[in-house]
Amino acid sequence: MPERRRSSDEVKWIDRWLAACADLDELKRSNPMTDAVIDEIDGRRIRVGDQWLADFASCNYLGFDLDREIMDSIPAQVERWGTHPSWSRLLGSPTLFGEIEEHLTELLGCEDTLVLPTITHIHMAVIPVLAAGGTVFMDSRAHKTIYDGCQFAVARGASLKRFRFEDPDDLERLLIEDRSDHRLVCMDGVNSITGNAPDLAAFARVTRRHGALLYVDDAHGFGVIGERSPSELSPYGSRGNSIVRHLDETYEGLILVGGFSKAYSSLAAFIACPTPLKEMLKTAAPPYLYSGPPPVASLATTLAGFDVNARRGDELRRVLHERTGRVLDALRRIGVRTLNHSGFPIIEIPLSDHRDIGSVGRFLFDNGIYVTLAAYPLVPKDEVGFRIQVTAANGDDEIDELIDVLDRLARRFELQRPDELREAA
Ligand SMILES: Cc1ncc(COP(=O)(O)O)c(C=O)c1O
């Protein structure tokens, strides 16, 4: 087939993008820890070719992907509904959807919820609707899928302004300057790179003060952190009902988005919002009308996940907190900096020299540790490094191995020193 000629705008955009992704592309070609084929799993250990590794790159925080009770929930629902309801949701939703939305609404303590296939679908569909041709104020380090949703809103006539990461004062400055009728603030809950939560109360205060709407993606908080209570088993709180409940915020002027594809190990996502908005999104948000829904197996495991979460979730979160704490304590002891100051299970370790990323990745792989490599442009150059994600299914033996390898890594490569040591130097 003859190659289509690219317009000069297209050429510039693609060339810029390829140049920005050169480091990542080099890693993809040269490092076994990117674009890997996983040949086999055994618990939280994986085999890539001949190498068995302890997996610290999974986002299955509660270990539901390997939970026998959850796995066993699938056959009966598939028997009843077949493998996949291929109606779009507007055409027809198996009763499983209603059951999930009912459970979820109770769990989150919000007015209503709507389930769609993925968070990416939700951002692309809902951000343009909520922006309504006004202004979107986006956290400058928001997740790429939020950024893409904002770009879509811009294509529909909205303006886009960015506020500085973790800086509610900067957001307020922008909100004071801009008097558009529709103003939407988009940001992450628990950040997928730093592992920390924003000062949600401060952002909610500023947003409400200026009559804007706050839109929060808590992909990594949902299932992990939840409401605080005197009887909680760990500082992650109880029930895993997300950042809004964890920080004792309300849903007034706040839309929460989350997903089941991390802590609940199921392909589905949700938006928590008032019922009139839910009803409006059923016709205004394309995935409800046009996209295939999540598969029955995922609907089954989501429902079973609610059950297991209610009975065993807090104990799993206690284990998760304890194992994450062991890794964070070891980093302090070894004298290595991490961006994580929350104790949540995402632990990013930046390198001193971003050019070491390939050899650091190779060292970890050769020593049986599988992590996410955070290359430029996924993170700024001074944060290039690797990210450890701990799950409740990582055994203490795997944590021991990780700590041993981190200790050896710190002696072999130059890693950044903890903030307190850098300040003292
Ligand atoms: C913060 C955040 N938002 C959205 C997504 C994408 O979620 P989904 O796979 O449901 O589209 C991710 C996935 O890594 C994420 O980390």
Side-chain angles (χ1 to χ4, degrees), residues 59 117-121 123 143 145-146 188 190-192 217-220 258-262 268-269:
C59 289
T118 66
I119 298 180
T120 307
H121 275 101
H123 292 335
H143 193 261
T145 53
I146 296 185
D188 289 302
V190 173
N191 187 278
S192 61
D217 171 352
D218 200 28
H220 294 271
F260 296 99
S261 73
K262 301 196 188 307

Side-chain angles (χ1 to χ4, degrees), residues 63 105 115 123 129 148 251 374:
T105 301
V115 169
H123 292 335
V129 172
D148 287 347
Y251 293 98

